[in-house]
Amino acid sequence: MKHPDLEHPELGILQYQQEYDWYEGKIEVQQSEILIRLSTDERGNVAAALERANNLVEELERYAQLAKEYAAVMLLQIKNETWIDDDEQPLTPEQFQQRTSLESISIDAAGEISFYHNDDDLFWGHCILVTMDSENNFIGAEIAG
């Protein structure tokens, strides 16, 4: 099945990535260009993820900031107690947030959104993944990769 590129007024051009079965594009969030990925459903249709993206795009800056704040709440204690070098001082929530940067957002067909952050070596190069459900509730923050 041929998947043509999608052109969206806010998300720009989204190109189908056959090896991952998703559409991918670039969007500016928090003064940085990040990847946005929209997964297809079991029939190869991207409509559900695209509708979710349409509903999210006006609030994307706010949700991106809330995702960073949620990551700090959920992971700061782990950072300061377990992932700290001998010569390193414990971080405040603000310092934790300043060190992380959003790299990509993935939206699946069920409406779940994953915010992937660069950790600036807070967790020795691992990704910080924050997940939001289809009702815009943050449901998880973890160290991934």
Side-chain angles (χ1 to χ4, degrees):
M1 177 175 173
K2 174 77 170 130
H3 295 273
D5 291 351
L6 301 175
E7 196 166 337
H8 187 276
E10 304 289 331
L11 304 176
I13 296 174
L14 302 166
Q15 296 180 321
Y16 182 69
Q17 304 297 311
Q18 175 99 27
E19 61 274 22
Y20 302 111
D21 196 27
W22 66 41
Y23 283 84
E24 184 175 277
K26 293 184 179 178
I27 186 170
E28 188 170 310
V29 179
Q30 298 177 330
Q31 294 85 41
S32 296
E33 190 173 75
I34 65 161
L35 289 175
I36 186 163
R37 297 179 180 108
L38 306 178
S39 295
T40 62
D41 62 19
E42 64 278 349
R43 294 180 303 229
N45 192 333
V46 73
L50 189 56
E51 182 178 338
R52 178 73 166 120
N54 282 332
N55 294 332
L56 176 76
V57 75
E58 288 182 17
E59 298 282 340
L60 194 53
E61 291 280 338
R62 184 171 74 85
Y63 284 124
Q65 182 57 41
L66 290 172
K68 287 177 91 167
E69 292 170 10
Y70 184 80
V73 167
M74 301 302 290
L75 300 174
L76 182 62
Q77 185 175 352
I78 294 168
K79 164 59 184 164
N80 286 337
E81 291 178 0
T82 308
W83 293 79
I84 195 160
D85 291 327
D86 292 335
D87 62 343
E88 191 177 9
Q89 293 296 316
L91 297 177
T92 66
E94 294 77 19
Q95 291 169 323
F96 184 98
Q97 291 175 48
Q98 289 171 352
R99 298 248 328 248
T100 63
S101 58
L102 186 63
E103 291 187 322
S104 68
I105 295 172
S106 295
I107 304 173
D108 71 19
E112 191 170 280
I113 300 174
S114 299
F115 296 84
Y116 295 89
H117 297 84
N118 179 302
D119 78 334
D120 190 33
D121 216 27
L122 292 173
F123 299 104
W124 306 337
H126 292 273
C127 172
I128 297 172
L129 170 61
V130 177
T131 308
M132 186 168 73
D133 69 13
S134 62
E135 302 296 318
N136 299 333
N137 300 304
F138 288 102
I139 57 172
E142 61 186 278
I143 305 159

